[in-house]
Amino acid sequence: RELVISGGGIKTFSYTNLYICESFIINGPTVDNSIHNNRITLAGSFTLLAGSFKSGTGSNATLVFGGTALQALTGSFTGDSKLNNINLDNAAGLTLAGDVTMAGLLTLSSGRITTGVGNFTMEVAATATPAAVPATARSSMISSRVSQLEYPAHYGHNTRPAALSRP
């Protein structure tokens, strides 16, 4: 149910995708998903206390936040711990408690990403897409501080590109 990985060294996930029913906590080692690029679905929160998380770079290397209660991504997910793909599929939303950098695809299926004191940064090659939702739906969004984002903005039935940046 809850997955806690502690100690030292490098811990590598096996060949299968993971579903974590509760929290995922890393406290010490490097957790390496870059070899098999697994999809990790979380029903709870993800906390990086110490160590690092190598999310992988493949198209399947995705963190899916698919819970039913508010979820949190806590820790510094930058540098070696930056994230590849994120899929938010939780109407209750996701709170970022720390700096987060992502390099791949951000999919907003349902819910709101809210940043706390940290920054959410999408690298230049990163992309974002809403799921197939009606243009009148405002259930998928990013709220608060955004370092850099290029995202299609929906106005009625038209889609126009929007760019946000922080000086």
Side-chain angles (χ1 to χ4, degrees):
R1 296 187 54 103
E2 180 176 78
L3 178 59
V4 178
I5 302 176
S6 59
I10 298 172
K11 314 294 185 200
T12 303
F13 288 130
S14 67
Y15 295 101
T16 59
N17 293 330
L18 299 172
Y19 185 90
I20 302 170
C21 296
E22 293 179 3
S23 298
F24 178 25
I25 300 168
I26 299 173
N27 190 10
T30 295
V31 175
D32 191 352
N33 190 45
S34 68
I35 295 171
H36 303 296
N37 294 308
N38 295 320
R39 180 181 187 93
I40 302 170
T41 302
L42 299 153
S45 296
F46 184 2
T47 303
L48 178 61
L49 296 172
S52 63
F53 175 68
K54 293 185 177 185
S55 68
T57 57
S59 62
N60 193 49
T62 301
L63 279 180
V64 178
F65 290 91
T68 56
L70 180 64
Q71 291 177 273
L73 182 61
T74 303
S76 179
F77 291 89
T78 61
D80 286 344
S81 293
K82 73 181 173 187
L83 302 176
N84 187 41
N85 302 320
I86 298 173
N87 181 342
L88 177 59
D89 191 9
N90 178 349
L94 173 66
T95 298
L96 306 181
D99 291 337
V100 175
T101 300
M102 67 161 293
L105 176 64
L106 172 64
T107 303
L108 298 173
S109 298
S110 174
R112 175 185 301 221
I113 296 176
T114 304
T115 63
V117 295
N119 290 307
F120 179 66
T121 304
M122 294 180 72
E123 291 187 341
V124 174
T127 57
T129 182
V133 293
T136 56
R138 303 280 184 227
S139 64
S140 299
M141 61 184 70
I142 300 172
S143 221
S144 198
R145 298 165 39 146
V146 177
S147 293
Q148 179 179 354
L149 172 69
E150 291 183 17
Y151 190 74
H154 294 279
Y155 299 95
H157 297 292
N158 301 317
T159 300
R160 296 179 180 91
L164 302 173
S165 62
R166 192 181 111 201

